[in-house]
Amino acid sequence: MLLGRISQLVFRRSLHVTQKLSSNMTIDGNTILAESLKKQGVEYVFGIVGIPVIETALAFQSAGLKYIGMRNEQAACYAAQAAGYLTGKPGVCLAVSGPGLLHCIGGMANAQVNCWPLLVIAGSCPEDHEGIGGFQEWPQVESSRLYCKYAARPPSPRLIPQHVEKAVRLAAAGRPGVSYLDMPGTLLMAEVEEEKVPLEYYSAAPVELAHAAPAQVWRAAELLRAARRPLLVLGKGAAYARAELQLTQLVNDTKLPFLPTPMGKGVVSDESEYCVSTARTQALLKADVIVLLGARLNWMLHFGQPPRFAPDVKVIQVDINPEEFHNSVKSEVAVHSDIKPFVEALAQNLSKSKFSLDPATNEWWQSLKQKQKANTEFVEAQAANTSVPLNYYAVFKTVQQNIPKDSIIVSEGANTMDIGRGLLLNNKPRHRLDAGTFGTMGVGPGFAVAAAMWCRDYAPGKRVICVEGDSAFGFSGMEIETMFRYKLPVIIVIVNNNGIYNGFNKEMMADIQSSGDVAQCTPPTALSGEVRYEKMMEMFGETGHLCRTVEDIKAALKKALEETEKPSIINILIDPQSSRKPQTFNWLTESKL
């Protein structure tokens, strides 16, 4: 019956479009919405259909939008925001009413905190059923406002184009974020005279880049010239700003040490001789002048405060959003500007005085190199230990050596993401997608779907490597079916330690659980031992890869890279007690209350 219903809807949709084109009389809300999105440059829609948005998705496809049906609304929301980050144009998440939209809330919050452009569109209860217990009735606009820059319900089909234009524009303008449009079933099905619908509603010209005031550039340059221990910090805002060419030139000319944030990796290559990621703690603690480019002094950078930073450090903060200035510490120079023009102006100013550090003789560089050497030696020693069960370092070194250098790395998990950040390198911008500022788990498969779609359209042959902790994979693992359905060759690498942070081997877990009530004895961080996640491939008539040794990993990656139209799962069993290098400080700066 469902197939018949879908067939009827497809027929009605094609018949309606044909009549619309031939008679030029009426047009329905679904078609208006679809055509409006198309005219605003939207490319990708990720979602799950049901009442009242089945015909909406069909209308999207008829208009030429790419619709990717997901298995969970949260994953669809993650995919849409990743598409927005990669393309610079909001991705769309389509959801059903009530619970469908509420499942999107986590994804909306993630995009808003992460500053990625996203447009969520949800069907909602018919307007004439509101207030009397309609199907999946919920105050959707009100529920969304906390997570959005813009949330609205168009009051009539005729005004849909106006609201679509505003929603797309606000999601991408300034600091990117989320827009929400509420679409009652009655609005989507309503028909109006086509000549009264402004489908050609204007598409505003791109906002000109904001340039820094010359006096601010001069002050920043003077601070750098006077600094004894300068440091550049490159955030994902620099990646989103497409400032990679200007920043690479600045770093190469000045030889300033730079530290990327997790998703700032690749703006300047991780393999640059001026990258000091391997001396991160030392660089932050000892720097006397820091140039903050598209990054925020939040928990990820320890708020810019002691003991992780020098108490007298001077911060040059460059951001498109002036509300970000002075949030945790007072910046010496707060520059309201896009990253690209600021870096160009700063480079010109510094070149006039021939400013450049000499890594061979500069004391600051010498101290950083000494710390880099010590940390690198520790990591190499850990990675050289290939005894079974493997540790994280041996796994990541092997993965890094056996994947293409230009791969997009999707990463999530606790130790998996944190340790992998240092060993899985990025040489291109916007090629790392992870849990981000909000620290959201479950983003990986959705991000990977979006990245693989982007690769298919914009970078054929580029590979997406989705590196997951076993706990993180459990959030959205069924998106493997989505990858099969859309022939996406995502390589899923599961680093399986039987737990959250760490777990226990099967024998120890059996002993623990035999000691009393299972719900009281099972450690909260523990998962089942040696789960065979790779066997999910058998649901699709394929074979996954179980790895225990370095040679197993090499063989599995070689086989997976040969696949061009289907995903792969590589399940790597590691020592459940494996952990990261001991930290000088706790990874999360503690509260001073």
Side-chain angles (χ1 to χ4, degrees):
M1 290 181 64
L2 180 58
L3 181 60
R5 171 65 175 157
I6 297 290
S7 299
Q8 288 178 357
L9 290 173
V10 172
F11 175 75
R12 284 170 52 192
R13 168 60 41 195
S14 60
L15 179 63
H16 179 80
V17 171
T18 302
Q19 290 174 339
K20 175 179 75 71
L21 293 175
S22 61
S23 64
N24 196 32
M25 292 178 61
T26 63
I27 184 171
D28 68 2
N30 281 311
T31 304
I32 296 170
L33 176 60
E35 295 292 340
S36 298
L37 290 168
K38 183 69 174 178
K39 291 180 187 302
Q40 294 301 326
V42 168
E43 294 182 73
Y44 299 104
V45 181
F46 303 84
I48 296 179
V49 297
I51 297 172
V53 296
I54 297 175
E55 285 198 297
T56 310
L58 295 171
F60 287 171
Q61 291 179 317
S62 296
L65 301 175
K66 296 187 178 183
Y67 177 82
I68 299 93
M70 306 286 284
R71 298 303 301 265
N72 178 283
E73 287 94 351
Q74 267 198 357
C77 206
Y78 297 142
Q81 63 196 258
Y85 175 65
L86 291 169
T87 65
K89 199 75 172 179
V92 172
C93 176
L94 179 67
V96 300
S97 51
L101 172 66
L102 291 173
H103 288 168
C104 293
I105 292 296
M108 294 165 73
N110 187 71
Q112 188 73 354
V113 173
N114 227 24
C115 307
W116 284 2
L118 167 70
L119 171 55
V120 175
I121 299 173
S124 60
C125 171
E127 291 161 293
D128 57 329
H129 290 179
E130 289 181 341
I132 58 174
F135 175 66
Q136 295 186 331
E137 180 182 355
W138 188 257
Q140 296 181 188
V141 176
E142 293 87 340
S143 296
S144 300
R145 281 206 173 99
L146 184 61
Y147 314 97
C148 294
K149 295 175 69 177
Y150 178 69
R153 171 190 289 184
S156 72
R158 188 175 60 82
L159 293 175
I160 289 174
Q162 175 183 336
H163 284 275
V164 167
E165 186 280 329
K166 187 172 183 179
V168 170
R169 174 164 47 87
L170 267 61
R175 170 171 284 181
V178 185
S179 291
Y180 171 68
L181 290 179
D182 195 60
M183 294 287 169
T186 41
L187 180 68
L188 292 170
M189 299 302 294
E191 297 198 356
V192 295
E193 294 180 35
E194 185 177 3
E195 63 182 18
K196 294 183 179 179
V197 179
L199 283 176
E200 296 295 339
Y201 199 85
Y202 70 81
S203 183
V207 177
E208 292 293 326
L209 292 181
H211 287 246
Q216 299 277 63
V217 176
W218 182 86
R219 288 182 64 202
E222 285 296 292
L223 275 178
L224 281 173
R225 276 189 280 263
R228 295 179 58 200
R229 297 179 299 279
L231 177 69
L232 302 178
V233 176
L234 313 183
K236 71 173 174 288
Y240 186 79
R242 272 65 177 169
E244 53 267 18
L245 295 179
Q246 291 75 14
L247 276 167
T248 299
Q249 188 67 51
L250 174 68
V251 168
N252 288 339
D253 288 348
T254 63
K255 300 177 175 56
L256 283 164
F258 74 90
L259 178 70
T261 64
M263 275 189 279
K265 284 163 57 69
V267 173
V268 181
S269 171
D270 282 348
E271 295 186 300
S272 166
E273 61 184 304
Y274 309 118
C275 179
V276 293
S277 290
T278 51
R280 183 182 190 271
T281 298
Q282 174 92 342
L284 294 178
L285 180 61
K286 299 297 184 181
D288 60 354
V289 173
I290 290 177
V291 186
L292 200 66
L293 296 164
R296 290 172 278 179
L297 290 176
N298 53 23
W299 69 273
M300 297 183 78
L301 285 172
H302 317 289
F303 315 108
Q305 299 173 355
R308 303 300 293 264
F309 287 72
D312 58 348
V313 64
K314 293 179 173 61
V315 176
I316 301 166
Q317 189 174 10
V318 186
D319 204 288
I320 193 61
N321 181 17
E323 295 173 355
E324 189 61 39
F325 297 145
H326 317 301
N327 270 350
S328 52
V329 297
K330 181 181 182 297
S331 296
E332 191 74 15
V333 183
V335 185
H336 183 209
S337 173
D338 280 280
I339 302 298
K340 191 182 295 186
F342 170 81
V343 171
E344 290 174 339
L346 179 65
Q348 289 175 5
N349 191 301
L350 292 174
S351 68
K352 292 177 182 177
S353 59
K354 297 184 172 17
F355 172 83
S356 179
L357 303 183
D358 184 354
T361 60
N362 180 270
E363 290 185 12
W364 174 226
W365 261 119
Q366 292 304 301
S367 67
L368 289 172
K369 285 182 177 295
Q370 184 177 1
K371 192 65 176 178
Q372 285 180 296
K373 183 175 182 293
N375 288 343
T376 300
E377 287 175 351
F378 172 86
V379 170
E380 288 296 327
Q382 294 296 307
N385 177 9
T386 58
S387 60
V388 176
L390 294 170
N391 64 60
Y392 283 104
Y393 297 89
V395 168
F396 290 132
K397 181 178 180 180
T398 306
V399 172
Q400 171 64 28
Q401 290 177 336
N402 289 275
I403 60 174
K405 281 195 170 186
D406 67 344
S407 298
I408 293 180
I409 306 294
V410 178
S411 182
E412 65 168 332
N415 291 333
T416 296
M417 183 175 64
D418 293 340
I419 299 173
R421 181 175 64 242
L423 279 85
L424 299 176
L425 305 181
N426 295 100
N427 295 306
K428 293 182 179 295
R430 299 170 297 282
H431 276 51
R432 177 182 169 88
L433 307 173
D434 67 23
T437 311
F438 210 30
T440 307
M441 290 294 105
V443 296
F447 283 2
V449 167
M453 290 296 300
W454 179 86
C455 288
R456 177 181 292 173
D457 293 337
Y458 292 97
K462 187 182 292 290
R463 301 311 299 262
V464 177
I465 316 296
C466 184
V467 184
E468 300 274 303
D470 51 333
S471 173
F473 180 71
F475 283 78
S476 305
M478 271 312 299
E479 297 305 332
I480 186 71
E481 188 276 327
T482 305
M483 296 173 192
F484 266 101
R485 194 168 4 116
Y486 291 96
K487 300 182 178 181
L488 302 175
V490 174
I491 299 175
I492 300 174
V493 177
I494 300 172
V495 185
N496 188 349
N497 71 345
N498 306 344
I500 303 169
Y501 301 108
N502 52 51
F504 301 88
N505 62 39
K506 290 194 296 185
E507 293 75 21
M508 185 178 296
M509 193 64 181
D511 290 343
I512 292 172
Q513 292 184 316
S514 66
S515 62
D517 186 291
V518 175
Q520 290 181 312
C521 295
T522 303
T525 61
L527 299 175
S528 298
E530 298 190 3
V531 175
R532 299 294 299 274
Y533 296 105
E534 82 284 354
K535 286 185 174 290
M536 292 178 71
M537 295 288 289
E538 296 178 10
M539 296 189 293
F540 310 97
E542 302 292 341
T543 303
H545 307 275
L546 177 68
C547 301
R548 297 180 185 274
T549 69
V550 163
E551 294 305 317
D552 289 342
I553 299 171
K554 291 178 181 178
L557 284 169
K558 181 179 179 181
K559 183 68 174 175
L561 287 167
E562 294 171 358
E563 303 290 357
T564 58
E565 290 193 340
K566 59 188 176 186
S568 304
I569 296 179
I570 300 173
N571 182 20
I572 305 175
L573 304 181
I574 70 167
D575 181 354
Q577 295 299 309
S578 180
S579 60
R580 74 180 84 186
K581 175 181 179 290
Q583 304 292 297
T584 304
F585 296 97
N586 289 332
W587 70 274
L588 184 64
T589 301
E590 295 181 352
S591 172
K592 296 181 175 61
L593 295 178

